[in-house]
Amino acid sequence: MQRPAYGQSPPLHHPVPQHVSTVPQLRSPPPPIPQQQHQQQAHGYDGSPYQQQPMGAGPSHNVFGQYGNFMNDPAAQLASQFSQTAFKQGTQYLEQNVNRYVNVSALKHYFNVTNSYVINKLFLVIFPWRHKPWSRKQTVGPNGQEGWYLPPRDDINSPDMYIPVMSLVTYILLSTLIAGLRGQFQPELLGYTASKALGVVVLELVGLKLGCYFLSISNESQLLDLVAYSGYKFVGVIGTISLAEIVNKGKGTGGWFGWSVFLYMFLANSLFLMRSLKYVLLPDNHGDARGPMQTGDTRAKRNQRTQFLFIYSYVVQFAFMWFLSRP
């Protein structure tokens, strides 16, 4: 063994442990279990800032839970049952009172249309010159009775309410739109146009009912049929206003072009009414089960009905269509 030089300290030798595995490793103590569970319930996740919130957790879960508890409340269930009962009784009361004045089941018959029917019907109203036949198709009723007419979707000659109602609304909106394009729109113009159109329809129906009364024409579906036919004139009026406004460039329905379009629409509508209203105003003795002529009818009375139909289809329609086509 070499001896250390003078002035130098001998080297230190540290003891090497023989059993390294027995030395315990130092670790941080785990958090208490109640505290960890409380932290997860408070934050809704395990402490990671990038973890998404699970479905059903958070404040919304509490809201839905409270709502579910509210719906399970007996007072809430009683209020819900009371509202449903009140709504049902109100609906029944409304239907009973409406049926006193309007036959809802019969009115649904006039709105039973399809897209193809609407297109073909509009084409028939505008171009009625070569259409045949004009008679309506009949079928057997639900109880086996004869003389029931097919709905509009199954018969092009059947009157409907869809086209007249939509034409009336379109006429009101079109008139106000044209006034707005001319810089003449005012809020009261909408009500004035609607009143003018409805007034024409009501006046026309009153005249038709008086004529049917004095000529002893009876028909179960007469009123609704006349309401439907009185609204077809708005198709021609809309066509006249639209074409004249486009060609005349905002100058209205005046001029030779406007009058030409008006005369064509008027003649088409008059022929359409003349052919279509024959089964109402000129019922046959045997063919129409809804409106049979009485036994005391004579040829003179039939001539009077024909004259009344001609006056209504040409004279009355000319006056009303000219009035509605004016700005």
Side-chain angles (χ1 to χ4, degrees):
M1 181 175 179
Q2 185 178 1
R3 187 176 182 178
Y6 180 78
Q8 294 181 354
S9 60
L12 298 178
H13 296 278
H14 297 278
V16 179
Q18 299 298 325
H19 303 282
V20 180
S21 59
T22 60
V23 179
Q25 298 180 358
L26 299 179
R27 296 181 180 179
S28 58
I33 294 178
Q35 181 180 0
Q36 184 178 4
Q37 293 179 353
H38 176 72
Q39 182 178 4
Q40 291 180 356
Q41 294 177 359
H43 295 283
Y45 56 96
D46 60 353
S48 176
Y50 302 100
Q51 183 175 2
Q52 296 181 355
Q53 186 174 356
M55 184 68 66
S60 60
H61 178 69
N62 297 331
V63 172
F64 286 111
Q66 295 176 1
Y67 181 75
N69 295 332
F70 173 76
M71 294 303 297
N72 293 329
D73 190 6
Q77 295 179 358
L78 181 62
S80 177
Q81 294 177 359
F82 176 76
S83 62
Q84 293 177 1
T85 304
F87 178 77
K88 183 177 180 180
Q89 292 179 355
T91 303
Q92 293 177 355
Y93 177 79
L94 182 62
E95 291 180 353
Q96 291 175 0
N97 286 272
V98 169
N99 287 331
R100 294 180 181 179
Y101 307 99
V102 179
N103 191 346
V104 178
S105 60
L107 194 60
K108 291 180 180 179
H109 171 87
Y110 292 87
F111 285 94
N112 188 7
V113 299
T114 59
N115 295 333
S116 59
Y117 167 81
V118 172
I119 296 174
N120 295 330
K121 192 72 170 188
L122 290 174
F123 186 83
L124 175 60
V125 173
I126 300 175
F127 306 101
W129 315 110
R130 304 185 63 180
H131 176 72
K132 287 182 181 180
W134 290 90
S135 59
R136 295 183 59 179
K137 299 178 181 179
Q138 297 183 1
T139 184
V140 179
N143 297 327
Q145 60 271 40
E146 298 181 355
W148 280 66
Y149 291 125
L150 291 175
R153 64 181 301 160
D154 298 325
D155 185 11
I156 189 62
N157 295 322
S158 177
D160 68 283
M161 292 287 190
Y162 179 80
I163 294 179
V165 170
M166 295 304 296
S167 301
L168 176 64
V169 175
T170 304
Y171 167 75
I172 297 173
L173 297 178
L174 179 63
S175 299
T176 53
L177 175 62
I178 292 176
L181 295 177
R182 297 176 181 174
Q184 302 174 356
F185 174 77
Q186 296 179 358
E188 56 270 15
L189 182 61
L190 191 64
Y192 168 75
T193 306
S195 301
K196 180 175 69 173
L198 292 176
V200 167
V201 173
V202 171
L203 184 61
E204 181 177 347
L205 291 177
V206 171
L208 283 173
K209 290 297 294 182
L210 288 176
C212 294
Y213 174 77
F214 288 119
L215 296 176
S216 302
I217 302 174
S218 60
N219 194 314
E220 294 181 3
S221 63
Q222 182 187 100
L223 179 60
L224 294 179
D225 289 350
L226 295 179
V227 171
Y229 283 116
S230 65
Y232 286 113
K233 70 170 64 65
F234 289 99
V235 176
V237 173
I238 293 172
T240 302
I241 296 176
S242 302
L243 295 177
E245 189 70 20
I246 294 174
V247 175
N248 293 336
K249 298 180 180 179
K251 296 181 181 180
T253 55
W256 67 270
F257 182 81
W259 276 105
S260 299
V261 176
F262 170 77
L263 289 177
Y264 176 82
M265 294 295 181
F266 155 69
L267 293 175
N269 181 72
S270 299
L271 179 62
F272 169 77
L273 293 178
M274 191 76 178
R275 299 295 187 183
S276 300
L277 286 174
K278 289 183 64 176
Y279 79 95
V280 178
L281 302 180
L282 299 175
D284 297 331
N285 292 326
H286 306 287
D288 196 344
R290 291 190 178 186
M293 295 182 64
Q294 300 179 5
T295 56
D297 288 341
T298 59
R299 182 178 298 273
K301 182 170 290 188
R302 184 172 181 85
N303 292 334
Q304 292 177 0
R305 294 176 177 179
T306 305
Q307 294 174 3
F308 174 74
L309 177 59
F310 177 84
I311 293 174
Y312 168 73
S313 300
Y314 286 90
V315 179
V316 175
Q317 295 302 312
F318 180 87
F320 284 154
M321 292 184 68
W322 179 84
F323 176 72
L324 293 172
S325 300
R326 297 302 94 190

